[in-house]
Amino acid sequence: MKTRSVDILHRRMRGFVKLIVLATITILPAFSGSANDYADTRDARTKVSLHFQKCVDGSRTACVVDGDTIWLGGQKIRVADIDTPEVSEPKCSSELDLGNHATDRMLELINDGPFELRAWPGRDTDRYGRKLRVLIRDGRSLGDILVSEGLARTWSGRREPWC
């Protein structure tokens, strides 16, 4: 009899734990937002308030690849309104140097506080499958800040050399 009571209690506890897990998965993102919620959004605007770091091997939850590419919740995002120098395959040392500065500055800007991801008008993804988004804080594009500091160019629709 005692064993049966323990079995019933364990089943009820498992049911309770499942309910708590389900509630957490369903309700918590509505209050705090997970990185996955931001990356897959189809809304025109999504607020992001996470701490980013430079991308290294491993987790791609919230990190900066370079001045115009980030990862958020496992989704690669191209900052659609700018072009920054390459750091992975630069054509010259000055491009690498400027690209590293742009990467560091984008990391600073992203971590300065909450920002919005806004969909790029007319296109959701680029030819590499990256989401196209503009990062906005207080009505200003973070990309425009990089442009004003000489670390990026306004996106013209095609790559141009940095060397």
Side-chain angles (χ1 to χ4, degrees):
M1 188 73 167
K2 192 173 189 179
T3 303
R4 187 162 196 254
S5 296
V6 170
D7 287 342
I8 291 170
L9 180 61
H10 282 169
R11 276 185 286 183
R12 287 183 179 163
M13 289 292 287
R14 279 194 304 261
F16 180 71
V17 168
K18 286 179 185 177
L19 180 63
I20 294 297
V21 170
L22 181 61
T24 301
I25 291 169
T26 305
I27 297 169
L28 190 57
F31 294 104
S32 63
S34 71
N36 287 325
D37 295 328
Y38 300 124
D40 293 327
T41 183
R42 298 194 197 286
D43 295 336
R45 298 178 182 197
T46 300
K47 195 76 139 179
V48 178
S49 183
L50 296 170
H51 178 75
F52 283 72
Q53 54 193 3
K54 274 191 182 177
C55 293
V56 293
D57 292 337
S59 175
R60 300 280 194 217
T61 303
C63 64
V64 174
V65 175
D66 58 27
D68 59 19
T69 310
I70 66 173
W71 279 88
L72 183 58
Q75 178 67 55
K76 201 169 192 180
I77 297 172
R78 169 75 161 80
V79 182
D81 60 339
I82 60 169
D83 180 40
T84 61
E86 296 300 318
V87 294
S88 61
E89 295 180 16
K91 303 288 188 242
C92 60
S93 60
S94 61
E95 180 178 16
L96 177 60
D97 186 49
L98 192 60
N100 284 328
H101 282 78
T103 303
D104 293 342
R105 184 63 175 132
M106 179 56 80
L107 185 61
E108 287 175 12
L109 290 169
I110 282 180
N111 284 326
D112 272 349
F115 62 92
E116 289 181 15
L117 285 176
R118 291 189 188 169
W120 186 248
R123 275 183 76 190
D124 189 53
T125 59
D126 68 6
R127 65 182 173 163
Y128 304 107
R130 299 176 295 187
K131 295 287 186 182
L132 295 171
R133 300 293 183 264
V134 178
L135 287 64
I136 305 288
R137 178 180 299 115
D138 300 326
R140 186 169 186 203
S141 161
L142 300 185
D144 284 348
I145 295 171
L146 288 180
V147 170
S148 73
E149 294 174 357
L151 299 171
R153 303 184 183 117
T154 301
W155 178 245
S156 66
R158 62 183 167 86
R159 289 197 169 279
E160 296 177 34
W162 287 93
C163 298

mmCIF file of all heavy atoms in Angstrom, residues 24-66:
data_model
loop_
_atom_site.group_PDB
_atom_site.id
_atom_site.type_symbol
_atom_site.label_atom_id
_atom_site.label_comp_id
_atom_site.label_asym_id
_atom_site.label_seq_id
_atom_site.Cartn_x
_atom_site.Cartn_y
_atom_site.Cartn_z
ATOM 1 N N THR A 24 6.944 27.561 -18.175
ATOM 2 C CA THR A 24 8.164 28.349 -18.344
ATOM 3 C C THR A 24 8.469 28.570 -19.813
ATOM 4 O O THR A 24 8.786 29.676 -20.240
ATOM 5 C CB THR A 24 9.354 27.638 -17.661
ATOM 6 O OG1 THR A 24 9.047 27.472 -16.277
ATOM 7 C CG2 THR A 24 10.628 28.445 -17.809
ATOM 8 N N ILE A 25 8.362 27.524 -20.610
ATOM 9 C CA ILE A 25 8.640 27.636 -22.038
ATOM 10 C C ILE A 25 7.629 28.548 -22.717
ATOM 11 O O ILE A 25 7.969 29.322 -23.599
ATOM 12 C CB ILE A 25 8.634 26.238 -22.694
ATOM 13 C CG1 ILE A 25 9.837 25.439 -22.199
ATOM 14 C CG2 ILE A 25 8.636 26.336 -24.207
ATOM 15 C CD1 ILE A 25 9.787 23.968 -22.578
ATOM 16 N N THR A 26 6.387 28.478 -22.304
ATOM 17 C CA THR A 26 5.320 29.228 -22.951
ATOM 18 C C THR A 26 5.242 30.672 -22.482
ATOM 19 O O THR A 26 5.107 31.580 -23.282
ATOM 20 C CB THR A 26 3.958 28.537 -22.688
ATOM 21 O OG1 THR A 26 4.063 27.188 -23.111
ATOM 22 C CG2 THR A 26 2.843 29.237 -23.431
ATOM 23 N N ILE A 27 5.346 30.896 -21.183
ATOM 24 C CA ILE A 27 5.088 32.212 -20.610
ATOM 25 C C ILE A 27 6.341 33.054 -20.459
ATOM 26 O O ILE A 27 6.338 34.232 -20.777
ATOM 27 C CB ILE A 27 4.390 32.071 -19.241
ATOM 28 C CG1 ILE A 27 3.034 31.407 -19.434
ATOM 29 C CG2 ILE A 27 4.241 33.415 -18.556
ATOM 30 C CD1 ILE A 27 2.364 30.981 -18.154
ATOM 31 N N LEU A 28 7.455 32.488 -20.021
ATOM 32 C CA LEU A 28 8.645 33.268 -19.720
ATOM 33 C C LEU A 28 9.137 34.112 -20.887
ATOM 34 O O LEU A 28 9.448 35.282 -20.717
ATOM 35 C CB LEU A 28 9.763 32.357 -19.198
ATOM 36 C CG LEU A 28 10.984 33.062 -18.634
ATOM 37 C CD1 LEU A 28 10.587 33.994 -17.496
ATOM 38 C CD2 LEU A 28 11.999 32.056 -18.165
ATOM 39 N N PRO A 29 9.200 33.567 -22.119
ATOM 40 C CA PRO A 29 9.656 34.424 -23.221
ATOM 41 C C PRO A 29 8.811 35.673 -23.423
ATOM 42 O O PRO A 29 9.306 36.685 -23.889
ATOM 43 C CB PRO A 29 9.564 33.497 -24.444
ATOM 44 C CG PRO A 29 9.725 32.132 -23.890
ATOM 45 C CD PRO A 29 9.019 32.191 -22.549
ATOM 46 N N ALA A 30 7.557 35.631 -23.059
ATOM 47 C CA ALA A 30 6.705 36.813 -23.209
ATOM 48 C C ALA A 30 7.155 37.935 -22.286
ATOM 49 O O ALA A 30 6.954 39.104 -22.570
ATOM 50 C CB ALA A 30 5.258 36.448 -22.903
ATOM 51 N N PHE A 31 7.812 37.569 -21.182
ATOM 52 C CA PHE A 31 8.258 38.584 -20.237
ATOM 53 C C PHE A 31 9.717 38.964 -20.433
ATOM 54 O O PHE A 31 10.068 40.121 -20.412
ATOM 55 C CB PHE A 31 8.053 38.096 -18.796
ATOM 56 C CG PHE A 31 6.598 37.939 -18.447
ATOM 57 C CD1 PHE A 31 6.030 36.684 -18.387
ATOM 58 C CD2 PHE A 31 5.794 39.039 -18.237
ATOM 59 C CE1 PHE A 31 4.683 36.532 -18.083
ATOM 60 C CE2 PHE A 31 4.449 38.900 -17.949
ATOM 61 C CZ PHE A 31 3.897 37.638 -17.873
ATOM 62 N N SER A 32 10.574 37.979 -20.626
ATOM 63 C CA SER A 32 11.991 38.294 -20.695
ATOM 64 C C SER A 32 12.569 38.184 -22.089
ATOM 65 O O SER A 32 13.566 38.805 -22.389
ATOM 66 C CB SER A 32 12.775 37.350 -19.777
ATOM 67 O OG SER A 32 12.634 36.013 -20.224
ATOM 68 N N GLY A 33 11.967 37.397 -22.951
ATOM 69 C CA GLY A 33 12.467 37.199 -24.306
ATOM 70 C C GLY A 33 13.705 36.330 -24.318
ATOM 71 O O GLY A 33 14.616 36.551 -23.551
ATOM 72 N N SER A 34 13.707 35.316 -25.145
ATOM 73 C CA SER A 34 14.897 34.506 -25.323
ATOM 74 C C SER A 34 15.532 34.902 -26.640
ATOM 75 O O SER A 34 14.901 35.499 -27.502
ATOM 76 C CB SER A 34 14.535 33.014 -25.336
ATOM 77 O OG SER A 34 13.861 32.689 -26.530
ATOM 78 N N ALA A 35 16.784 34.542 -26.800
ATOM 79 C CA ALA A 35 17.482 34.884 -28.036
ATOM 80 C C ALA A 35 16.790 34.268 -29.240
ATOM 81 O O ALA A 35 16.744 34.873 -30.304
ATOM 82 C CB ALA A 35 18.932 34.408 -27.942
ATOM 83 N N ASN A 36 16.234 33.070 -29.107
ATOM 84 C CA ASN A 36 15.549 32.439 -30.234
ATOM 85 C C ASN A 36 14.346 33.251 -30.686
ATOM 86 O O ASN A 36 14.035 33.293 -31.862
ATOM 87 C CB ASN A 36 15.099 31.020 -29.879
ATOM 88 C CG ASN A 36 16.272 30.067 -29.821
ATOM 89 O OD1 ASN A 36 17.216 30.195 -30.583
ATOM 90 N ND2 ASN A 36 16.214 29.124 -28.909
ATOM 91 N N ASP A 37 13.654 33.887 -29.749
ATOM 92 C CA ASP A 37 12.492 34.696 -30.115
ATOM 93 C C ASP A 37 12.892 35.843 -31.025
ATOM 94 O O ASP A 37 12.172 36.222 -31.919
ATOM 95 C CB ASP A 37 11.826 35.289 -28.869
ATOM 96 C CG ASP A 37 11.233 34.218 -27.984
ATOM 97 O OD1 ASP A 37 10.788 33.177 -28.516
ATOM 98 O OD2 ASP A 37 11.239 34.410 -26.759
ATOM 99 N N TYR A 38 14.061 36.423 -30.798
ATOM 100 C CA TYR A 38 14.485 37.572 -31.572
ATOM 101 C C TYR A 38 14.891 37.171 -32.986
ATOM 102 O O TYR A 38 14.585 37.841 -33.943
ATOM 103 C CB TYR A 38 15.668 38.269 -30.892
ATOM 104 C CG TYR A 38 15.359 38.755 -29.516
ATOM 105 C CD1 TYR A 38 16.117 38.354 -28.439
ATOM 106 C CD2 TYR A 38 14.290 39.608 -29.291
ATOM 107 C CE1 TYR A 38 15.838 38.810 -27.164
ATOM 108 C CE2 TYR A 38 14.005 40.065 -28.014
ATOM 109 C CZ TYR A 38 14.786 39.664 -26.960
ATOM 110 O OH TYR A 38 14.518 40.112 -25.718
ATOM 111 N N ALA A 39 15.627 36.077 -33.103
ATOM 112 C CA ALA A 39 16.197 35.708 -34.392
ATOM 113 C C ALA A 39 15.143 35.310 -35.415
ATOM 114 O O ALA A 39 15.291 35.586 -36.589
ATOM 115 C CB ALA A 39 17.190 34.561 -34.210
ATOM 116 N N ASP A 40 14.085 34.667 -34.999
ATOM 117 C CA ASP A 40 13.114 34.151 -35.949
ATOM 118 C C ASP A 40 11.902 35.054 -36.120
ATOM 119 O O ASP A 40 10.949 34.676 -36.771
ATOM 120 C CB ASP A 40 12.640 32.760 -35.510
ATOM 121 C CG ASP A 40 13.779 31.760 -35.597
ATOM 122 O OD1 ASP A 40 14.625 31.929 -36.498
ATOM 123 O OD2 ASP A 40 13.829 30.841 -34.779
ATOM 124 N N THR A 41 11.946 36.225 -35.561
ATOM 125 C CA THR A 41 10.789 37.093 -35.640
ATOM 126 C C THR A 41 10.475 37.501 -37.066
ATOM 127 O O THR A 41 11.362 37.689 -37.877
ATOM 128 C CB THR A 41 10.979 38.348 -34.777
ATOM 129 O OG1 THR A 41 9.777 39.107 -34.847
ATOM 130 C CG2 THR A 41 12.109 39.224 -35.274
ATOM 131 N N ARG A 42 9.203 37.610 -37.365
ATOM 132 C CA ARG A 42 8.779 38.114 -38.667
ATOM 133 C C ARG A 42 8.139 39.490 -38.494
ATOM 134 O O ARG A 42 7.673 40.085 -39.442
ATOM 135 C CB ARG A 42 7.791 37.143 -39.310
ATOM 136 C CG ARG A 42 8.423 35.798 -39.560
ATOM 137 C CD ARG A 42 7.573 34.971 -40.482
ATOM 138 N NE ARG A 42 7.925 33.577 -40.428
ATOM 139 C CZ ARG A 42 9.019 33.038 -40.957
ATOM 140 N NH1 ARG A 42 9.887 33.797 -41.555
ATOM 141 N NH2 ARG A 42 9.242 31.754 -40.889
ATOM 142 N N ASP A 43 8.133 39.965 -37.252
ATOM 143 C CA ASP A 43 7.603 41.295 -36.990
ATOM 144 C C ASP A 43 8.555 42.333 -37.559
ATOM 145 O O ASP A 43 9.737 42.089 -37.745
ATOM 146 C CB ASP A 43 7.475 41.543 -35.477
ATOM 147 C CG ASP A 43 6.448 40.632 -34.829
ATOM 148 O OD1 ASP A 43 5.553 40.160 -35.545
ATOM 149 O OD2 ASP A 43 6.565 40.393 -33.621
ATOM 150 N N ALA A 44 8.019 43.502 -37.811
ATOM 151 C CA ALA A 44 8.847 44.589 -38.325
ATOM 152 C C ALA A 44 9.846 45.066 -37.277
ATOM 153 O O ALA A 44 10.912 45.529 -37.607
ATOM 154 C CB ALA A 44 7.968 45.747 -38.772
ATOM 155 N N ARG A 45 9.489 44.932 -35.994
ATOM 156 C CA ARG A 45 10.357 45.418 -34.926
ATOM 157 C C ARG A 45 10.393 44.410 -33.789
ATOM 158 O O ARG A 45 9.377 43.896 -33.372
ATOM 159 C CB ARG A 45 9.834 46.736 -34.368
ATOM 160 C CG ARG A 45 9.806 47.826 -35.384
ATOM 161 C CD ARG A 45 9.234 49.080 -34.799
ATOM 162 N NE ARG A 45 9.175 50.092 -35.832
ATOM 163 C CZ ARG A 45 9.036 51.366 -35.583
ATOM 164 N NH1 ARG A 45 8.912 51.793 -34.361
ATOM 165 N NH2 ARG A 45 8.989 52.227 -36.570
ATOM 166 N N THR A 46 11.592 44.164 -33.278
ATOM 167 C CA THR A 46 11.779 43.280 -32.141
ATOM 168 C C THR A 46 12.822 43.895 -31.228
ATOM 169 O O THR A 46 13.899 44.273 -31.687
ATOM 170 C CB THR A 46 12.260 41.889 -32.605
ATOM 171 O OG1 THR A 46 11.279 41.343 -33.472
ATOM 172 C CG2 THR A 46 12.457 40.972 -31.431
ATOM 173 N N LYS A 47 12.506 44.008 -29.948
ATOM 174 C CA LYS A 47 13.413 44.602 -28.966
ATOM 175 C C LYS A 47 14.405 43.547 -28.471
ATOM 176 O O LYS A 47 14.017 42.430 -28.162
ATOM 177 C CB LYS A 47 12.594 45.134 -27.793
ATOM 178 C CG LYS A 47 13.351 46.061 -26.891
ATOM 179 C CD LYS A 47 13.494 47.399 -27.515
ATOM 180 C CE LYS A 47 13.288 48.498 -26.504
ATOM 181 N NZ LYS A 47 13.439 49.788 -27.086
ATOM 182 N N VAL A 48 15.686 43.908 -28.410
ATOM 183 C CA VAL A 48 16.731 43.006 -27.948
ATOM 184 C C VAL A 48 17.433 43.637 -26.761
ATOM 185 O O VAL A 48 17.856 44.793 -26.829
ATOM 186 C CB VAL A 48 17.764 42.724 -29.060
ATOM 187 C CG1 VAL A 48 18.878 41.825 -28.547
ATOM 188 C CG2 VAL A 48 17.089 42.104 -30.267
ATOM 189 N N SER A 49 17.557 42.865 -25.699
ATOM 190 C CA SER A 49 18.259 43.329 -24.509
ATOM 191 C C SER A 49 19.047 42.153 -23.939
ATOM 192 O O SER A 49 18.647 41.549 -22.956
ATOM 193 C CB SER A 49 17.268 43.871 -23.479
ATOM 194 O OG SER A 49 17.972 44.375 -22.371
ATOM 195 N N LEU A 50 20.134 41.821 -24.598
ATOM 196 C CA LEU A 50 21.006 40.727 -24.185
ATOM 197 C C LEU A 50 22.442 41.222 -24.174
ATOM 198 O O LEU A 50 22.769 42.194 -24.844
ATOM 199 C CB LEU A 50 20.908 39.557 -25.170
ATOM 200 C CG LEU A 50 19.574 38.850 -25.288
ATOM 201 C CD1 LEU A 50 19.585 37.894 -26.476
ATOM 202 C CD2 LEU A 50 19.267 38.088 -24.020
ATOM 203 N N HIS A 51 23.294 40.516 -23.441
ATOM 204 C CA HIS A 51 24.724 40.839 -23.468
ATOM 205 C C HIS A 51 25.377 40.051 -24.593
ATOM 206 O O HIS A 51 25.239 38.839 -24.673
ATOM 207 C CB HIS A 51 25.390 40.514 -22.140
ATOM 208 C CG HIS A 51 26.854 40.790 -22.155
ATOM 209 N ND1 HIS A 51 27.342 42.072 -22.088
ATOM 210 C CD2 HIS A 51 27.928 39.975 -22.283
ATOM 211 C CE1 HIS A 51 28.669 42.032 -22.159
ATOM 212 N NE2 HIS A 51 29.039 40.771 -22.278
ATOM 213 N N PHE A 52 26.071 40.747 -25.482
ATOM 214 C CA PHE A 52 26.765 40.125 -26.604
ATOM 215 C C PHE A 52 28.254 40.059 -26.303
ATOM 216 O O PHE A 52 28.780 40.860 -25.547
ATOM 217 C CB PHE A 52 26.570 40.955 -27.880
ATOM 218 C CG PHE A 52 25.231 40.786 -28.524
ATOM 219 C CD1 PHE A 52 24.091 41.324 -27.947
ATOM 220 C CD2 PHE A 52 25.098 40.087 -29.718
ATOM 221 C CE1 PHE A 52 22.849 41.171 -28.543
ATOM 222 C CE2 PHE A 52 23.864 39.932 -30.317
ATOM 223 C CZ PHE A 52 22.735 40.473 -29.727
ATOM 224 N N GLN A 53 28.908 39.097 -26.938
ATOM 225 C CA GLN A 53 30.362 39.004 -26.888
ATOM 226 C C GLN A 53 30.871 38.717 -28.289
ATOM 227 O O GLN A 53 30.068 38.513 -29.198
ATOM 228 C CB GLN A 53 30.803 37.924 -25.918
ATOM 229 C CG GLN A 53 30.188 36.572 -26.171
ATOM 230 C CD GLN A 53 30.415 35.624 -25.005
ATOM 231 O OE1 GLN A 53 30.988 35.982 -23.985
ATOM 232 N NE2 GLN A 53 29.960 34.411 -25.155
ATOM 233 N N LYS A 54 32.176 38.725 -28.478
ATOM 234 C CA LYS A 54 32.718 38.358 -29.787
ATOM 235 C C LYS A 54 32.468 36.877 -30.008
ATOM 236 O O LYS A 54 32.569 36.075 -29.087
ATOM 237 C CB LYS A 54 34.215 38.637 -29.860
ATOM 238 C CG LYS A 54 34.546 40.037 -30.251
ATOM 239 C CD LYS A 54 36.026 40.147 -30.567
ATOM 240 C CE LYS A 54 36.375 41.565 -30.907
ATOM 241 N NZ LYS A 54 37.813 41.729 -31.145
ATOM 242 N N CYS A 55 32.153 36.525 -31.240
ATOM 243 C CA CYS A 55 31.914 35.124 -31.575
ATOM 244 C C CYS A 55 33.231 34.357 -31.547
ATOM 245 O O CYS A 55 34.225 34.795 -32.108
ATOM 246 C CB CYS A 55 31.290 34.989 -32.959
ATOM 247 S SG CYS A 55 29.621 35.647 -33.076
ATOM 248 N N VAL A 56 33.203 33.243 -30.868
ATOM 249 C CA VAL A 56 34.307 32.283 -30.855
ATOM 250 C C VAL A 56 33.684 30.909 -31.051
ATOM 251 O O VAL A 56 32.466 30.783 -31.092
ATOM 252 C CB VAL A 56 35.108 32.345 -29.529
ATOM 253 C CG1 VAL A 56 35.844 33.663 -29.401
ATOM 254 C CG2 VAL A 56 34.216 32.123 -28.328
ATOM 255 N N ASP A 57 34.496 29.894 -31.163
ATOM 256 C CA ASP A 57 33.956 28.549 -31.315
ATOM 257 C C ASP A 57 32.963 28.254 -30.201
ATOM 258 O O ASP A 57 33.174 28.622 -29.058
ATOM 259 C CB ASP A 57 35.078 27.508 -31.280
ATOM 260 C CG ASP A 57 35.981 27.604 -32.493
ATOM 261 O OD1 ASP A 57 35.519 28.127 -33.523
ATOM 262 O OD2 ASP A 57 37.137 27.158 -32.410
ATOM 263 N N GLY A 58 31.864 27.614 -30.559
ATOM 264 C CA GLY A 58 30.870 27.246 -29.565
ATOM 265 C C GLY A 58 29.548 27.936 -29.776
ATOM 266 O O GLY A 58 29.069 28.068 -30.894
ATOM 267 N N SER A 59 28.984 28.425 -28.698
ATOM 268 C CA SER A 59 27.634 28.980 -28.697
ATOM 269 C C SER A 59 27.498 30.185 -29.618
ATOM 270 O O SER A 59 28.364 31.056 -29.660
ATOM 271 C CB SER A 59 27.252 29.387 -27.281
ATOM 272 O OG SER A 59 25.998 30.022 -27.282
ATOM 273 N N ARG A 60 26.409 30.218 -30.331
ATOM 274 C CA ARG A 60 26.085 31.344 -31.212
ATOM 275 C C ARG A 60 24.767 31.955 -30.754
ATOM 276 O O ARG A 60 23.875 32.193 -31.543
ATOM 277 C CB ARG A 60 25.968 30.871 -32.669
ATOM 278 C CG ARG A 60 27.212 30.245 -33.210
ATOM 279 C CD ARG A 60 28.183 31.316 -33.623
ATOM 280 N NE ARG A 60 29.246 30.735 -34.435
ATOM 281 C CZ ARG A 60 30.494 31.135 -34.364
ATOM 282 N NH1 ARG A 60 30.846 32.080 -33.540
ATOM 283 N NH2 ARG A 60 31.405 30.598 -35.126
ATOM 284 N N THR A 61 24.662 32.206 -29.463
ATOM 285 C CA THR A 61 23.429 32.732 -28.902
ATOM 286 C C THR A 61 23.326 34.237 -29.061
ATOM 287 O O THR A 61 22.319 34.746 -29.520
ATOM 288 C CB THR A 61 23.317 32.351 -27.412
ATOM 289 O OG1 THR A 61 23.387 30.931 -27.312
ATOM 290 C CG2 THR A 61 22.014 32.831 -26.824
ATOM 291 N N ALA A 62 24.370 34.956 -28.697
ATOM 292 C CA ALA A 62 24.373 36.413 -28.795
ATOM 293 C C ALA A 62 25.820 36.864 -28.939
ATOM 294 O O ALA A 62 26.506 37.096 -27.946
ATOM 295 C CB ALA A 62 23.719 37.038 -27.565
ATOM 296 N N CYS A 63 26.282 36.960 -30.189
ATOM 297 C CA CYS A 63 27.674 37.350 -30.391
ATOM 298 C C CYS A 63 27.837 38.136 -31.687
ATOM 299 O O CYS A 63 26.984 38.104 -32.565
ATOM 300 C CB CYS A 63 28.596 36.140 -30.360
ATOM 301 S SG CYS A 63 28.346 34.923 -31.660
ATOM 302 N N VAL A 64 28.958 38.847 -31.767
ATOM 303 C CA VAL A 64 29.292 39.689 -32.915
ATOM 304 C C VAL A 64 30.404 38.999 -33.714
ATOM 305 O O VAL A 64 31.458 38.689 -33.165
ATOM 306 C CB VAL A 64 29.750 41.084 -32.445
ATOM 307 C CG1 VAL A 64 30.246 41.920 -33.612
ATOM 308 C CG2 VAL A 64 28.620 41.796 -31.714
ATOM 309 N N VAL A 65 30.140 38.751 -34.986
ATOM 310 C CA VAL A 65 31.129 38.143 -35.886
ATOM 311 C C VAL A 65 32.084 39.217 -36.386
ATOM 312 O O VAL A 65 33.297 39.087 -36.314
ATOM 313 C CB VAL A 65 30.443 37.474 -37.107
ATOM 314 C CG1 VAL A 65 31.477 36.947 -38.096
ATOM 315 C CG2 VAL A 65 29.504 36.372 -36.657
ATOM 316 N N ASP A 66 31.503 40.284 -36.917
ATOM 317 C CA ASP A 66 32.270 41.417 -37.421
ATOM 318 C C ASP A 66 31.362 42.641 -37.381
ATOM 319 O O ASP A 66 30.286 42.590 -36.786
ATOM 320 C CB ASP A 66 32.847 41.151 -38.821
ATOM 321 C CG ASP A 66 31.792 40.818 -39.867
ATOM 322 O OD1 ASP A 66 30.632 41.245 -39.728
ATOM 323 O OD2 ASP A 66 32.138 40.143 -40.858
#
